[in-house]
Amino acid sequence: MLDKVQAVLDKVRPMLQADGGDVELVEVTDTGIVKVRLTGACKGCPMSQMTLRNGIERIILKEIPEVKGVEAVQE
């Protein structure tokens, strides 16, 4: 499942990079939780939770039904 998640993140990455940010895959847990780290401009952006939920999580859940949720982790 790790490769599937990485492929989806590669699809959304250009949108984040256009605004000076990026996303990094940290892990996919056995329970189907994807953990990511927002970097660059996304790291401190007040809209980062919206980006995570309405952008990254929505697309991952749509394309990979086995995933139960997406969480952002700090460094």
Side-chain angles (χ1 to χ4, degrees), residues 14-74:
M15 293 181 293
L16 298 173
Q17 290 175 338
D19 289 327
D22 207 344
V23 63
E24 172 184 316
L25 179 60
V26 176
E27 72 171 312
V28 179
T29 69
D30 294 338
T31 57
I33 302 297
V34 173
K35 295 189 178 186
V36 298
R37 180 177 298 117
L38 296 172
T39 61
C42 292
K43 183 177 177 182
C45 176
M47 300 298 284
S48 64
Q49 280 303 312
M50 185 178 287
T51 299
L52 182 70
R53 297 286 168 239
N54 296 336
I56 299 169
E57 183 177 58
R58 182 179 55 81
I59 295 168
I60 289 176
L61 293 176
K62 180 180 177 188
E63 296 204 17
I64 311 171
E66 307 93 77
V67 171
K68 304 297 182 225
V70 177
E71 296 177 1
V73 296
Q74 304 302 318

